[in-house]
Amino acid sequence: MNKKKFLTLTTTGFALFAMFFGAGNLVIPPYIGLKMGAASGAAFVGFFLSGILIPFLAVLMVSSIGTSFTDLGKRFPAPFVNSLVVLIIVVFGPLVCVPRSGSTTYEVAIEPFFPMVGKVTFGVIFFTITLFLALSRSKLVDIIGRWLTPILFLSLIVLIVEGTINAPKGLTDNGLTFKEAFTFGFSKGYLTLDVLSGVIFSGLIISAIIQKGYSSERQKREITILSGMIAAGCLVFIYGGLLYLGATSDVVTTEEVKYIDILKHIAHKGLGNNGAIVISVAVAFACLTTAVAIVSAMGGIFETLSHGRIPYRWGVWGCTLVSFVLSIQSVDQIILYAGYILDFVYPITIALTLFILLFGKRVQKKIPYIIGVSFTAVFSAIFVIGNLMESQTLKGIQDSLPLAQYHIEWLLPAFAAFGVGAIINNK
């Protein structure tokens, strides 16, 4: 492997890792470990599927259809795919992930040390930096991959190694079965938003790869896969370490325990005063890199969909301002409402990814994809509404479906709808 290829792989691989690894990825694994105890291994398997493997497949899906998520127009009519793209980027960006990044940074890295700094004041500073970096989109991947990511990664390594050596207790058996732990880990993987990261960020990564001179289909796919493997390896190490720290912590387990408090407790207990500094650095860079990447992606997508009528800078400014307003909420408040939104958006995105990867070369017509994705959307919306209304009837129907115990009751019906669409298309 020549030097140019090696540098491209490492830069894009670490950039992809940094884009995936945001606020949710930092606070959710310790929470899973604390709740699961000795069953953390089973929980990690579920979390690996929804938080690492499927997001990686989403990147491959985009690579297989073109250079960005908007190339889905090859499988869907333009209005359909445009609506889908807008739904995903709006949910992923200004509604959930970017405001959560700002709120997490404040609660972990600023409030404990600088209580005199208000959340609004900090938000102005945080999102001004985000805006500046996002507007420098030509250097975005290099900035993240070469400078911000190494600092983030080293901070997390220090936290995990020191926290593991000084673990206050061993793994506690909470009496959970493999299925229960697996389901818990799989469902919590939704909150990372990494599948949405995969479909949105892949365009940035693929564009960076092409700019480096790897423009053929074979070269693009090879670099994408190898970069994804680097990112996945980093995520496995970090997720596993954080989950283990949560499982061996001495935080008292209650229903009211907060995601942020677990992480702060682990850092202070294992590393003392230095732990607060390490976790602050980790949080600041994890959140900043993710926020910059999402805001940049939203600006690019709106510019593409509007054929230039919405300039890149307008999308960046809009995402930044909305995110700033929503970031005034606490992290737990954002996670609470995000759960309902993601229960609708995630099945659509996963189904889309699987349809294209499994049938993309054999099924060229648009009808099966339209029917499969539309059915998944309606199916998911009904059950989300049922959960919001606390409808026992809808809850009973949902629980009776195959794979409901794994929180993927939509999967088999989605493939059945795709199959019906294929039959209709053939006739």
Side-chain angles (χ1 to χ4, degrees):
M1 181 184 298
N2 58 46
K3 183 179 179 179
K4 176 186 175 182
K5 187 174 183 180
F6 176 78
L7 289 175
T8 300
L9 286 175
T10 54
T11 300
T12 55
F14 279 118
L16 187 58
F17 161 75
M19 292 174 183
F20 276 136
F21 198 85
N25 311 66
L26 192 59
V27 301
I28 291 171
Y31 181 86
I32 295 174
L34 178 67
K35 292 289 187 178
M36 297 295 100
S40 293
F44 182 74
V45 174
F47 190 75
F48 171 83
L49 290 178
S50 59
I52 299 178
L53 180 60
I54 297 178
F56 178 51
L57 294 179
V59 175
L60 290 181
M61 180 270 291
V62 175
S63 178
S64 70
I65 61 173
T67 59
S68 72
F69 190 43
T70 54
D71 287 330
L72 278 174
K74 300 172 183 177
R75 290 287 184 269
F76 300 93
F80 189 100
V81 70
N82 290 348
S83 299
L84 184 62
V85 171
V86 170
L87 171 66
I88 291 176
I89 189 60
V90 169
V91 168
F92 182 54
L95 289 187
V96 179
C97 198
V98 181
R100 187 177 67 180
S101 297
S103 185
T104 300
T105 304
Y106 177 78
E107 292 184 25
V108 175
I110 303 301
E111 188 177 29
F113 309 105
F114 308 100
M116 73 292 295
V117 179
K119 201 167 191 178
V120 174
T121 302
F122 168 75
V124 171
I125 298 172
F126 180 88
F127 286 104
T128 298
I129 296 173
T130 299
L131 180 66
F132 172 77
L133 291 176
L135 290 174
S136 304
R137 59 174 175 168
S138 61
K139 299 179 180 179
L140 177 63
V141 172
D142 285 342
I143 290 173
I144 293 175
R146 292 182 180 178
W147 301 107
L148 300 185
T149 304
I151 298 175
L152 161 65
F153 198 62
L154 290 174
S155 300
L156 292 174
I157 290 176
V158 171
L159 173 65
I160 290 171
V161 172
E162 292 293 333
T164 301
I165 293 174
N166 299 311
K169 67 180 183 66
L171 297 174
T172 303
D173 188 355
N174 296 334
L176 297 168
T177 65
F178 180 91
K179 183 172 70 174
E180 291 171 333
F182 174 90
T183 303
F184 186 84
F186 186 88
S187 62
K188 290 300 177 184
Y190 279 24
L191 295 176
T192 66
L193 285 84
D194 281 351
V195 170
L196 306 187
S197 300
V199 297
I200 297 301
F201 289 154
S202 53
L204 293 174
I205 296 299
I206 295 170
S207 295
I209 291 172
I210 293 174
Q211 289 175 5
K212 297 293 185 180
Y214 300 95
S215 55
S216 73
E217 194 64 30
R218 184 189 64 80
Q219 290 176 326
K220 183 183 70 173
R221 188 171 182 82
E222 178 188 5
I223 299 297
T224 300
I225 291 175
L226 293 177
S227 299
M229 292 176 65
I230 292 174
C234 294
L235 289 171
V236 168
F237 173 77
I238 298 298
Y239 284 157
L242 291 174
L243 193 144
Y244 179 78
L245 294 185
T248 56
S249 71
D250 56 358
V251 176
V252 178
T253 306
T254 65
E255 291 297 326
E256 294 77 25
V257 65
K258 295 182 178 180
Y259 291 83
I260 291 292
D261 290 342
I262 299 170
L263 190 63
K264 290 193 291 187
H265 177 87
I266 290 172
H268 282 83
K269 189 76 174 181
L271 303 179
N273 293 332
N274 291 331
I277 298 174
V278 171
I279 198 62
S280 297
V281 173
V283 166
F285 282 102
C287 295
L288 181 61
T289 53
T290 299
V292 171
I294 296 172
V295 171
S296 177
M298 184 167 178
I301 286 175
F302 272 85
E303 184 178 50
T304 300
L305 293 181
S306 67
H307 302 288
R309 289 189 292 271
I310 301 178
Y312 172 81
R313 63 181 183 279
W314 289 12
V316 168
W317 273 96
C319 183
T320 303
L321 291 174
V322 173
S323 300
F324 164 67
V325 173
L326 293 179
S327 71
I328 305 304
Q329 302 176 92
S330 70
V331 174
D332 279 31
Q333 287 175 322
I334 295 173
I335 289 177
L336 180 63
Y337 77 70
Y340 293 106
I341 298 175
L342 296 176
D343 280 343
F344 171 67
V345 177
Y346 242 65
I348 297 172
T349 311
I350 295 175
L352 176 66
T353 297
L354 295 178
F355 290 159
I356 292 179
L357 286 179
L358 294 176
F359 309 117
K361 293 184 178 181
R362 289 175 288 178
V363 181
Q364 299 294 325
K365 299 295 183 179
K366 297 179 178 180
I367 290 179
Y369 299 95
I370 295 172
I371 293 178
V373 172
S374 299
F375 181 85
T376 305
V378 173
F379 200 74
S380 300
I382 290 173
F383 289 129
V384 169
I385 294 172
N387 290 331
L388 284 170
M389 298 176 60
E390 298 183 353
S391 170
Q392 295 303 314
T393 301
L394 289 176
K395 183 64 176 174
I397 296 174
Q398 183 179 14
D399 291 341
S400 67
L401 292 170
L403 304 179
Q405 66 271 35
Y406 299 109
H407 202 56
I408 50 174
E409 67 282 341
W410 52 268
L411 183 61
L412 295 183
F415 273 86
F418 184 91
V420 170
I423 294 173
I424 293 175
N425 180 74
N426 289 336
K427 288 186 177 182

